Amino acid sequence: MKLKTTMVALAAAVSIVALAGCTPAGGGTSNEVDPEISAEIDAALAEITGQVLSTGPNGEEPSSVDATVVTDAQAEEVAAMGLTAAIVMHYGGNDWANAQIAGLNAEFDRLGIDVIATTDADFDPATQVSQIETVLTQNPDIIVSIPTDTVATASAYRKAAAQGVKLVFMDNVPEGFVAGQDYVSMVSADNYGNGVTSAYLLARSLGGEGTIGVIYHEADFFVTQQRYDGFKKTIEDEFPNIEIVQEQGIAGPDFAGDAQGVANAMLTRNADLDGIWAVWDVPAEGVLAAARETGRTDIKIATQDLGTNVAIALAKGEMIVGLGAQLPYDQGVAEADLAALSFLGIDVPAYVALSSLPVDHENVLEAWELVYNSEAPASVRDAYVD
């Protein structure tokens, strides 16, 4: 499968036209927004669409996924090598992780690479270290992984590298690792850009003014920090009439439950709070639950990642006003391809990133197809309100 980068960029650009501050029927987020403010924000979104605003964990400039494509002829060469791979996740079961794994499995299948293990550490570094050590007893040629903690897991990944395993990372790189020496490459979404995108979408729903709360990831985790940085800088620099009145971190592993507790406290402490930003869709689900529990279904919520539950809320026009989406399926394909290219002796970039996809009520169904390489599930399609 070849990455559909041109189609994704085009569709993202087209979606901006639809992101026009419309008021969906039946939604709890209905409000009158100054059309001039909406137009300015839509223009800003259009300007960044297709760009990557992030840099890599060591300051690397981003490379396009075009540099990762494996041709059919190259795939035949790789298949003849009889390679094996393991997928070592930080945690699983959510839409993002499922899509990453699906993309990896599909592309490894095309490449003739046998996936011998897929693990889920439930965001616990000690569990992940143990899983890496267990996987290494199966002598994989490739490990594709996302470290739960860049320091605590580094020695386990170092052991894998010393064993001759080709390492490709998602989103995060262990402390002290050097691309091209200790690992092949790292693939990520434009997480800084996703933070910027979600800031614009939340600001548009608020008409450029109001008070908001921020729920961030309280961990040394590169990509979630980038989201927070992109969101906060955009709000502070571009929207002086939007005030961040409270910030609180969550560490998990119960990210939805933790965010629900934080959001409950925010809404109780700030009776006139207009909006809340959550660092990804699972914490945003907790914010949704808190808003319903406190009767604040007028709150505006922005986030990152197009999970099922936030997609349903977007389709209904209920509280979730927009998000910056990743392309996890395509990221998985790119990770598999980078591993394959390394076995062919081809130099690959240290950092590959895919641009942010702005999503709101108007384009949620089309965005789902781009993000997951499949039609939106019935639960999302049936929830859509014109």
Side-chain angles (χ1 to χ4, degrees):
M1 177 183 297
K2 293 185 179 181
L3 294 172
K4 46 192 185 300
T5 53
T6 302
M7 184 184 74
V8 168
L10 176 60
V14 170
S15 74
I16 296 297
V17 177
L19 295 170
C22 300
T23 302
T29 60
S30 301
N31 69 321
E32 292 296 327
V33 176
D34 185 332
E36 185 174 336
I37 291 174
S38 289
E40 290 175 358
I41 291 173
D42 288 340
L45 281 166
E47 185 175 343
I48 66 171
T49 296
Q51 297 184 39
V52 173
L53 306 182
S54 301
T55 56
N58 298 305
E60 302 97 336
E61 288 300 312
S63 294
S64 166
V65 288
D66 292 341
T68 73
V69 176
V70 175
T71 67
D72 290 341
Q74 289 171 326
E76 289 182 9
E77 287 185 63
V78 172
M81 298 178 185
L83 302 174
T84 61
I87 303 169
V88 178
M89 300 298 292
H90 56 343
Y91 84 121
N94 63 331
D95 292 303
W96 180 89
N98 291 340
Q100 278 267 0
I101 293 168
L104 280 161
N105 280 322
E107 190 66 356
F108 277 138
D109 183 63
R110 184 180 82 90
L111 297 167
I113 297 173
D114 185 25
V115 178
I116 58 174
T118 301
T119 66
D120 171 0
D122 197 26
F123 240 115
D124 181 68
T127 298
Q128 189 170 50
V129 167
S130 176
Q131 289 171 341
I132 294 168
E133 291 173 345
T134 299
V135 162
L136 288 177
T137 66
Q138 301 177 62
N139 296 312
D141 299 295
I142 299 161
I143 290 179
V144 180
S145 184
I146 176 168
T148 55
D149 183 294
T150 60
V151 176
T153 61
S155 61
Y157 289 114
R158 186 74 66 187
K159 182 178 178 180
Q163 190 171 305
V165 178
K166 299 281 191 181
L167 297 171
V168 177
F169 291 111
M170 314 169 184
D171 286 352
N172 222 357
V173 174
E175 184 78 18
F177 274 50
V178 177
Q181 177 179 311
D182 303 307
Y183 68 100
V184 174
S185 183
M186 190 267 266
V187 179
S188 181
D190 178 10
N191 284 282
Y192 190 93
N194 275 323
V196 173
T197 294
S198 60
Y200 279 128
L201 292 172
L202 182 57
R204 191 186 64 189
S205 75
L206 296 172
E209 60 184 24
T211 57
I212 63 172
V214 170
I215 299 176
Y216 60 89
H217 185 200
E218 193 171 30
D220 181 16
F221 207 68
F222 174 68
V223 294
T224 52
Q225 182 65 41
Q226 283 201 316
R227 295 175 183 187
Y228 169 78
D229 291 344
F231 174 82
K232 188 171 181 179
K233 182 170 176 56
T234 302
I235 292 295
E236 291 178 343
D237 289 357
E238 304 296 332
F239 300 100
N241 293 325
I242 295 178
E243 181 185 3
I244 298 173
V245 295
Q246 189 174 347
E247 299 184 46
Q248 180 66 50
I250 54 173
D254 181 11
F255 291 102
D258 291 352
Q260 182 175 352
V262 168
N264 262 319
M266 282 185 177
L267 292 167
T268 300
R269 182 177 176 181
N270 306 280
D272 59 348
L273 197 68
D274 298 302
I276 294 177
W277 178 83
V279 66
W280 73 87
D281 65 304
V282 176
E285 292 174 15
V287 179
L288 283 167
R292 293 180 181 121
E293 185 178 335
T294 57
R296 283 298 314 275
T297 55
D298 60 321
I299 199 81
K300 311 294 191 294
I301 304 167
T303 189
Q304 284 74 215
D305 298 347
L306 186 62
T308 300
N309 291 328
V310 295
I312 290 170
L314 270 175
K316 290 180 177 180
E318 292 182 353
M319 291 184 279
I320 302 289
V321 296
L323 56 89
Q326 302 188 60
L327 297 167
Y329 186 96
D330 285 351
Q331 289 166 232
V333 172
E335 290 147 10
D337 283 347
L338 284 161
L341 291 170
S342 71
F343 277 95
L344 295 175
I346 296 172
D347 289 336
V348 297
Y351 172 57
V352 174
L354 289 80
S355 62
S356 172
L357 177 65
V359 185
D360 75 350
H361 172 77
E362 295 300 313
N363 73 335
V364 62
L365 299 182
E366 294 84 357
W368 187 282
E369 294 187 26
L370 290 171
V371 170
Y372 294 111
N373 203 41
S374 65
E375 184 181 33
S379 58
V380 178
R381 298 196 310 272
D382 293 346
Y384 193 85
V385 177
D386 288 326

